[in-house]
Amino acid sequence: MSKLLRNIRLGIKTLLLHKLRSALTMLGVVFGVGSVIAMLSVGEGASREAREQIRKLGSNNILIESQEPVEEASNSGGQRTRLNKFGILYDDVDRIRSTIPSVARVVPAKTIREEGRLGRNVEELRLVGTTADWFELVPRPVQAGRVMSRQDELNFNDVVVLTESGARKLLAGESTVGNRVSIGGGSYEVIGIVQSAGDGTATGGTGLPTPDQDVDAYVPLAVAKERFGDIFVEISAGNFSREEVQLHQMIVEVDQMENVPQTADAVQRVMDLHHPKGDYKMTVPLELLRQAERTKRTFNIVLGSIAGISLLVGGIGIMNIMLASVTERTREIGIRRAIGARRSQIIQQFLIETLVLTTVGGLVGIGVGLVIPAAITWYAGMPTQIMPWMLALSVGISVVTGIIFGLYPAVRAANLDPIQALRHE
């Protein structure tokens, strides 16, 4: 052990004789390790954000949305006066709930764009008629008051739960819970405010919208059905259209995560049987989550490989410098061999010098790798995440790089003929 420490001190002393050259030699490893950490952290951050967004949708949930059939949507450019029926039916809820044993519960939702009003404050809201189970399948922190209860459904209570964003605009300057607001001509008592997870647009690069939006106002489904019905009329710029949609969304909760794929297939068969026009869209967050995991692994391999190229270039630079060092120190090697040094000792000497270069370069590179992701997040707003295994991997790669690219110059130095080495000028 003491001999190894002595050789390490000797290697450091030899490298310090040429400080500038040693520093420049290390730069390749520094930037290589830094780029490995930076690229892996960017990939990990993007993947983590996508997975978090998918988890918010519920890994045990299956999301179904009504959508206008393609052939009918293509005719929407002209004036339409006939009634267009499509989407999820009330009977679909009972069919899925009663025929598929692995379904724990089904939450229907009817969504209508209406104007919310309180005094002079006016805000366009998305009225969501649903059941109390919505707040368990789409869990969001309660900011004030409470969420809807089953008693509110049974009693047809005129109550509404607002999202934080909608409440801030509509109830600006007013007391929140207990106030009454007008939505679509009806009066509702505000019983609670919840935080929303998104604005209903694509989340985290997944292309999947969240079930809730920032402007949601939740009321009992029975109340929404009674006040707004199932037929919606839209008049705009000479276009008159009528649509009959019973339900706009349906969330199916599966009893166990391992039953999600089979349950999704069963739900698909039930829906296809009663919706030959394909007027619905089904999304399984668990499949997206698994796809995100596979994408993450591919992403890390690709980014790590790209960063590894810079590390390879740095290793080649180190080997080049060490070969030049062997040439410069040929006479020194000859003297050491002449006084009894074995070839293994010569190999050890040059290998230690290479390892000192790559290890110190790797440690400095970790510092660079910690700074780059922070700068990316600060200036570009991109999510990044540094995991401990990234640092360990980077140090390991730098050490292996030192061994691989330092071995050939060390062996070449050890194989020099002592007599010819002593004659070297």
Side-chain angles (χ1 to χ4, degrees):
M1 188 64 182
S2 61
K3 187 181 293 184
L4 178 63
L5 293 175
R6 187 191 65 188
N7 289 337
I8 292 175
R9 284 197 296 270
L10 180 63
I12 295 173
K13 187 176 179 180
T14 304
L15 293 173
L16 289 177
L17 292 176
H18 307 281
K19 296 184 180 66
L20 181 59
R21 186 171 72 179
S22 299
L24 293 176
T25 304
M26 283 191 297
L27 281 181
V29 177
V30 171
F31 290 122
V33 169
S35 60
V36 166
I37 297 175
M39 288 197 174
L40 289 178
S41 67
V42 170
E44 183 69 23
S47 174
R48 184 192 60 171
E49 186 183 39
R51 283 180 279 131
E52 283 300 317
Q53 293 291 345
I54 293 172
R55 285 196 178 94
K56 286 180 180 177
L57 301 176
S59 301
N60 283 30
N61 295 344
I62 299 170
L63 310 179
I64 304 174
E65 294 178 84
S66 294
Q67 68 175 7
E68 192 173 10
V70 177
E71 62 272 15
E72 296 179 10
S74 62
N75 297 327
S76 59
Q79 187 174 12
R80 295 187 306 178
T81 56
R82 67 183 179 86
L83 183 62
N84 186 18
K85 297 182 180 179
F86 64 90
I88 306 167
L89 307 174
Y90 295 118
D91 290 341
D92 291 331
V93 177
D94 297 328
R95 288 192 197 101
I96 292 173
R97 188 183 289 153
S98 59
T99 59
I100 305 175
S102 55
V103 170
R105 53 185 160 179
V106 181
V107 175
K110 178 188 283 291
T111 61
I112 309 132
R113 288 281 173 182
E114 291 291 347
E115 189 177 79
R117 183 181 295 274
L118 178 65
R120 293 183 177 180
N121 299 327
V122 179
E123 176 71 13
E124 183 179 346
L125 302 174
R126 190 183 77 148
L127 190 79
V128 181
T130 185
T131 63
D133 287 336
W134 171 281
F135 300 96
E136 295 183 20
L137 298 194
V138 189
R140 305 293 182 242
V142 178
Q143 302 295 318
R146 63 174 178 86
V147 295
M148 279 190 322
S149 65
R150 299 190 190 283
Q151 205 62 32
D152 293 323
E153 298 178 51
L154 295 173
N155 295 337
F156 288 76
N157 290 339
D158 294 329
V159 294
V160 63
V161 177
L162 298 175
T163 57
E164 184 182 12
S165 176
R168 187 178 295 116
K169 296 174 181 175
L170 195 61
L171 302 175
E174 302 287 344
S175 58
T176 54
V177 177
N179 220 323
R180 296 195 74 86
V181 297
S182 172
I183 303 176
S187 177
Y188 300 87
E189 179 188 356
V190 179
I191 60 172
I193 295 172
V194 298
Q195 190 176 17
S196 61
D199 58 359
T201 57
T203 57
T206 64
L208 182 66
T210 55
D212 57 339
Q213 297 184 8
D214 282 342
V215 292
D216 277 353
Y218 303 97
V219 301
L221 177 61
V223 175
K225 184 179 176 184
E226 182 186 53
R227 292 195 172 179
F228 299 98
D230 299 329
I231 298 176
F232 305 93
V233 179
E234 183 177 352
I235 303 173
S236 60
N239 190 24
F240 176 79
S241 63
R242 294 190 303 160
E243 295 177 348
E244 180 177 344
V245 182
Q246 295 185 9
L247 292 172
H248 294 83
Q249 288 184 7
M250 183 166 57
I251 304 175
V252 179
E253 185 192 30
V254 183
D255 55 357
Q256 296 179 19
M257 187 183 293
E258 53 267 28
N259 292 333
V260 170
Q262 297 86 343
T263 306
D265 292 339
V267 171
Q268 180 93 50
R269 286 194 293 273
V270 171
M271 293 297 289
D272 285 344
L273 187 62
H274 297 89
H275 295 267
K277 295 190 296 183
D279 54 353
Y280 74 94
K281 182 177 75 174
M282 191 171 79
T283 304
V284 184
L286 181 63
E287 290 181 359
L288 296 175
L289 183 61
R290 289 175 176 168
Q291 179 63 38
E293 295 287 350
R294 290 192 290 271
T295 304
K296 172 199 165 189
R297 285 194 291 271
T298 306
F299 208 52
N300 282 344
I301 291 172
V302 172
L303 290 179
S305 300
I306 294 172
I309 292 174
S310 58
L311 204 54
L312 176 67
V313 174
I316 293 173
I318 287 179
M319 185 168 68
N320 187 38
I321 294 298
M322 292 307 297
L323 285 172
S325 178
V326 169
T327 303
E328 288 177 357
R329 296 159 64 186
T330 299
R331 189 173 178 81
E332 174 195 328
I333 295 169
I335 294 172
R336 290 199 63 188
R337 290 296 310 278
I339 62 176
R342 296 190 298 271
R343 286 181 175 172
S344 61
Q345 291 174 316
I346 301 296
I347 292 175
Q348 188 181 55
Q349 176 191 352
F350 280 89
L351 208 52
I352 285 176
E353 290 179 16
T354 310
L355 284 173
V356 169
L357 278 174
T358 55
T359 303
V360 173
L363 294 175
V364 177
I366 287 177
V368 174
L370 294 174
V371 171
I372 293 176
I376 291 174
T377 303
W378 175 264
Y379 289 107
M382 291 178 60
T384 57
Q385 185 176 22
I386 297 174
M387 306 294 289
W389 64 266
M390 296 178 187
L391 306 183
L393 178 67
S394 300
V395 172
I397 290 176
S398 61
V399 171
V400 171
T401 301
I403 294 175
I404 293 175
F405 291 95
L407 195 59
Y408 176 69
V411 171
R412 185 171 177 176
N415 288 335
L416 287 175
D417 183 78
I419 298 175
Q420 290 184 355
L422 287 170
R423 289 175 179 171
H424 183 77
E425 295 295 336

